[in-house]
Each structure stands twice: as C-alpha cells, then as structure tokens.
Amino acid sequence: MASIPNRGLLARMLARKSVAQVQQETETSQLKRTLGPWNLVFLGIGCIIGAGIFVRTGNAAALHAGPAVLFSFLIAGAVCALAGLCYAELSSTLPVSGSAYTYSYTTIGEFAAWIMGALLLLEYGLAASVVAVGWSGYMVSLLGDWGIQVPLELTGPAGHALVRDGAAVLDAAGNPVTTLFNLPAFLICLALAALLVIGVSESAKVNNVIVAIKMTVIIAFIVIVGWYVMQDLDTYLANWQPFIPEPTGEKGEFGWSGILRAASIVFFAYIGFEAVSTAGQEAKNPKRDLPFGIIGSLLVCTVLYILVSIVMTLIVNYKSLNVPDPVAVAVDALGPSWAWFAKTIKIGAIIGLTSVILVLMYGQTRIFYTMARDGLLPRVFANVHAKFKTPWVNTILVGLITATAAGFFDINTLGDMTSVGTLAAFGIVCLAVMWLRRTHPELPRGFRVPLYPVLPALGIVACFALIFTVETRVLVFFGWYALAAIILYFVYGMRNSQLHKGNMSASPHDLPVYKEDAPGN
C-alpha cells in the first residue's frame, strides 16, 4: 500500500490496515503459537475470576446495592455478553494480537485504533493495579494470621487514613495511621512482570495450575457455605430483608440507582474474556479457538459470580462486607470450627488474584507490542527477546506502570477509572462489528453475532449508559485523559505511523479480502 502523506486530515485519521496486512503480520510474527482452546478458556477464567469475587463484591454490596448485588452481576454479565459476542465475531475474522486495537484499525481507522489503545491502557494496566491492591489486602491479612505483621504504613495508598471495619486505625498515641505506600502490591506487579519476560508458554502453564486451584476454592466456598445456609435457610433469609435497600437520596446509594452503580463497580472484573483476544498471534487455531475461549470463559465465570454473591449476602449482612476480604468475612461467619477454611479461602484468594494480575499484564504487553509494530509507539516496545521470544522491554515498562499505580493509588479510584475505559472500549468494539458488516458483508467470518443488528446496538447503548453511573470526578479525569491521548496522536502517532509511511504492505501473493485492497485501488 502506498504512502498517504498527501491525503487530507480526515482521510489520514480514517486510514486503516487491510485484512491482508493483518494476516501477513500474523504469519510473520516472532511470537510462538503455543495456546490451544482450553489454554484460552483458562486464560479468560484466570482474569475474570478474582477481583470481582474476592475484593469488589463486598464494596458494591455494602455501599451501593445490598443483597441486590446479584442483579448488578446479572446486568454487568449481560452487557459483557453483548460485547463478548462482538469480540468473538471480530476475533474469528481478524485473529491477531492487539485485541480491540487491531479490530478498530482494520474497520474504522487509525485514529479510532489510537483511542482504543489509550482506553486499553486503562482497561488492562489500571485493572492489574486494582487487583494488586486486593491481593495485598488478602496477603497482609493471611500473614497476620500467621503472626507476621507488615507495617501498617506500607499496606495502603499514599496519604490515606487506614480503615478497618469502618473505623480509622489508630497508632499507640491515638492518632490515625496514614499509609505511605502499598509495598506488597508493588512487589507482586514486579514479580509477575519478570515471569512474563521469561515467556508466555511458561506463564500459561503457571496460570493453568493457578486457575485449577482457584476454581476448587471457589466451588468449595459455594458448596460448603451454601450447605451451611440451607440448614437454617429461614434464619439467613433475614439478611435479604430488604433485598433492595431503600435509596438514601444520594445518587448510587441503594435502590435501582445503587444496583446500576454496583454494576459499574464489578464490571471490570469481567474483562478476562476480552484478554483472550489479545492472544491471537499465539493461538494454535485462532479462528476456531478465540471464540471458544471468549464465550466459554465468560459463561463459566458469570455463573460462578452469581452463586458466590447469593451465598455471601445470605451468610452475613451486606453492611459488614465493606472490607478488603469479603469472602473471608463470609467464611468467618461459620464459626471458630471453620477457621481452617477461612485461611484456605484467603490462600485461594491470593492465588486467584495472582492469576488475574498475570493475565491483565500479559494483555497490556501484547497491545503495546502491536502498537509499536505499527509505529504508533516507539519501536523499542516491539523488540522481542532473542531467547525468551517475548516483548521484554514493554513488559518491564508495564510492570513499572502497574506497580506504581498499585503502590500509590486507592482501589476505588483505580477501579472506577478501569470501568470507564473498559466500557468505552467495549462500546467501540460493538460499533466496529456493525461498521464491518455494513461496509464488507462479504468478508469470511468464523462466527457471527446472532440477532444482528439488535445485539450490537444494545451493546453500544448499554456500555455508554453504565459509564454515566460512575462519579463525576472520574468522568472529568476520563475527559482530560482522552484529550491528552488525542493530542499525543497528532504530535507523535500520526507522524510515525508505519501505515502513513507506506511500510505496511501486504504480500503480493495474498489475495485481497476487501475489494478496495486490490491492485490499482
């Protein structure tokens, strides 16, 4: 494809890759194809099951939805299902690394791809930081059970008063303890970045073991606590009275507005299915395996989320769940004889959250890798290690970014920023499906969204509706972040784009997929 420097600004922004170019990138990638369909399902489960169950569920129930957090999970799951179907269609058509970024580049154009890349930094990078903060809470609690005390000042974000059970923690002099830095969260991010540098196949093997352990713990929690509740169900049903607490008058505090607010809180925990699509260049049979991994992991995890939320809000009153370790609190309600199980749950939570951080960081590194190959980021981010065959420079950078955010920022702020970025990205993906169906209906698709165009349109509406349930300050931050991303595109991305320079040419032996990609057009 020829260079396009003489086109107008709008034409430059809408310039896109051809499918032939994308397919050639897949064939010439230096990344190893090591992931089968069940690796991808486990990859998705490893990301989805974690923060939503082990950390954010308690906050969503205690402050916003009450026992009706069950509805919040249903709403978030339904929105993710709409987006997931769209991801499945695009991933079966364009099975390459880069996820929604590549889909946007190939359908809508370069500017949309750049914006998507910026959104995915919120979705993956900050989400990994959110989960790392939750990991830190469980680890500090478990170490305390074993008599190892981490200094309180090193267990939270910078400048925040430490709170336990809704009350400020005081030092020996009676003064509130102010945290300086979340050391455990910082260290786990760096450790997992080192693992990702070693190699994705090694990381996938570790992830499969972690997911198996985590699933065992989650199912044990559902079965054991559920059995305990059923022995005296009439008594525990009192914790569901009222099932939907009366609204306080503040937006997002209980009632249906609280349910929607809680849906946006737990939403980011579902993004694991989307992380599967970032593995396109490392899947053995991407057209078949990516839709299987996306839809399979989403279905499994939605069912588990709903069951856990039911059991958790029955065994204890929702008001007591505003803690870093709500699942452990629920198990503690079984009594002292079940103390061993509470410790087991904490260990399972730590293992589970570890796998979530791993998958999120993996997804972010692959997006940076693809953007760097396209010239939209510095080429050094696409450098592949000679021995490990991984993008090691950008993996180190991702590790530093996530570690710093986890160390210095609080979990609620990070979580809300992640949700906004994720929802916006999902909405654009739904739009990309509609765009591609309209402009190129003849394109071969391994999977098609059913009930088109109703479901993609509903996905767009649902995603952007949930965005406006978050706090105003987060929306303001998102606006400034988007503005900075747009400016950076015109300052750096547009000037260094490989597409603009004419360096992204498909092989002459490839048949054009789009008619306008044929020679002479």
Side-chain angles (χ1 to χ4, degrees):
M1 180 175 290
S3 176
I4 54 174
N6 295 323
R7 290 188 180 180
L9 180 62
L10 181 60
R12 282 290 318 281
M13 295 169 65
L14 295 178
R16 56 164 184 78
K17 293 184 183 180
S18 70
V19 173
Q21 290 169 341
V22 173
Q23 291 171 338
Q24 183 193 27
E25 290 171 11
T26 303
E27 295 169 359
T28 60
S29 172
Q30 300 178 60
L31 302 178
K32 295 185 292 184
R33 291 195 176 278
T34 59
L35 305 179
W38 287 104
N39 288 123
L40 295 173
V41 170
F42 273 94
L43 194 69
I45 293 174
C47 187
I48 298 172
I49 297 296
I53 287 181
F54 293 118
V55 181
R56 298 286 276 168
T57 303
N59 173 265
L63 301 180
H64 300 287
V69 71
L70 163 63
F71 291 158
S72 301
F73 277 118
L74 286 170
I75 293 170
V79 174
C80 283
L82 295 172
L85 292 171
C86 294
Y87 269 105
E89 176 169 325
L90 290 177
S91 67
S92 71
T93 309
L94 307 171
V96 295
S97 182
S99 178
Y101 161 78
T102 300
Y103 306 152
S104 300
Y105 212 152
T106 314
T107 56
I108 303 176
E110 184 175 275
F111 180 71
W114 174 272
I115 295 300
M116 181 62 77
L119 293 176
L120 293 178
L121 177 57
L122 293 179
E123 180 179 339
Y124 286 98
L126 289 190
S129 301
V130 172
V131 183
V133 173
W135 183 95
S136 173
Y138 277 91
M139 178 58 75
V140 170
S141 177
L142 182 64
L143 291 176
D145 292 341
W146 291 341
I148 303 173
Q149 300 298 327
V150 179
L152 295 178
E153 293 80 3
L154 299 180
T155 62
H160 282 243
L162 191 63
V163 177
R164 290 286 185 271
D165 298 327
V169 176
L170 305 179
D171 60 19
N175 299 315
V177 175
T178 301
T179 52
L180 303 174
F181 178 63
N182 196 326
L183 180 62
F186 184 85
L187 293 178
I188 187 60
C189 290
L190 294 185
L192 293 181
L195 178 61
L196 286 172
V197 168
I198 293 174
V200 65
S201 59
E202 288 75 11
S203 302
K205 293 173 184 176
V206 171
N207 184 67
N208 287 349
V209 173
I210 289 174
V211 172
I213 296 172
K214 178 170 58 175
M215 291 287 288
T216 301
V217 171
I218 289 295
I219 293 172
F221 172 81
I222 294 170
V223 172
I224 293 176
V225 180
W227 172 84
Y228 191 90
V229 168
M230 291 302 294
Q231 304 308 302
D232 193 7
L233 182 59
D234 290 340
T235 298
Y236 288 109
L237 281 174
N239 286 326
W240 274 17
Q241 301 298 326
F243 185 72
I244 303 178
E246 290 294 323
T248 63
E250 294 290 332
K251 180 182 178 182
E253 290 187 5
F254 307 112
W256 278 101
S257 68
I259 291 172
L260 292 174
R261 177 71 180 93
S264 70
I265 288 175
V266 302
F267 185 89
F268 85 95
Y270 280 95
I271 68 176
F273 77 84
E274 197 272 347
V276 174
S277 67
T278 67
Q281 292 187 17
E282 289 152 288
K284 294 178 180 178
N285 187 345
K287 284 193 174 184
R288 180 198 67 190
D289 296 347
L290 289 180
F292 182 88
I294 290 171
I295 297 174
S297 60
L298 180 59
L299 288 175
V300 170
C301 296
T302 299
V303 171
L304 291 176
Y305 267 142
I306 291 172
L307 292 176
V308 169
S309 65
I310 290 173
V311 171
M312 187 186 303
T313 53
L314 279 172
I315 191 68
V316 296
N317 188 279
Y318 69 89
K319 296 178 182 178
S320 64
L321 292 175
N322 187 28
V323 292
D325 52 350
V327 175
V329 169
V331 179
D332 286 338
L334 300 179
S337 61
W338 292 90
W340 63 271
F341 190 51
K343 290 184 175 64
T344 302
I345 288 295
K346 291 180 182 180
I347 294 173
I350 291 169
I351 293 173
L353 295 175
T354 301
S355 71
V356 177
I357 303 169
L358 181 73
V359 175
L360 289 169
M361 293 176 66
Y362 166 84
Q364 183 63 68
T365 62
R366 270 42 184 184
I367 292 163
F368 275 175
Y369 169 81
T370 306
M371 294 183 71
R373 288 187 65 179
D374 292 343
L376 300 183
L377 291 178
R379 182 69 187 180
V380 67
F381 293 152
N383 287 352
V384 174
H385 195 280
K387 177 181 179 181
F388 300 129
K389 299 299 181 182
T390 56
W392 65 283
V393 175
N394 95 57
T395 299
I396 293 173
L397 176 65
V398 168
L400 291 174
I401 292 173
T402 57
T404 302
F408 289 98
F409 294 94
D410 73 280
I411 191 169
N412 292 324
T413 299
L414 291 170
D416 285 344
M417 292 177 183
T418 300
S419 293
V420 172
T422 303
L423 286 162
F426 285 4
I428 293 175
V429 166
C430 294
L431 175 63
V433 166
M434 299 180 70
W435 186 299
L436 197 60
R437 284 278 196 105
R438 186 173 183 84
T439 57
H440 296 88
E442 78 289 349
L443 193 65
R445 292 167 170 84
F447 175 86
R448 288 177 175 267
V449 177
L451 299 179
Y452 177 88
V454 175
L455 294 188
L458 284 177
I460 295 172
V461 173
C463 288
F464 285 95
L466 276 186
I467 285 177
F468 291 100
T469 66
V470 304
E471 296 182 30
T472 301
R473 64 182 179 86
V474 176
L475 293 178
V476 171
F477 165 83
F478 180 72
W480 283 110
Y481 177 82
L483 179 61
I486 292 170
I487 293 173
L488 189 58
Y489 169 73
F490 290 110
V491 171
Y492 182 88
M494 176 180 282
R495 295 175 180 272
N496 293 277
S497 166
Q498 292 296 308
L499 182 63
H500 170 58
K501 294 178 179 179
N503 296 332
M504 294 167 60
S505 300
S507 167
H509 303 293
D510 289 335
L511 293 176
V513 179
Y514 296 161
K515 59 184 179 181
E516 62 267 31
D517 293 332
N521 291 328

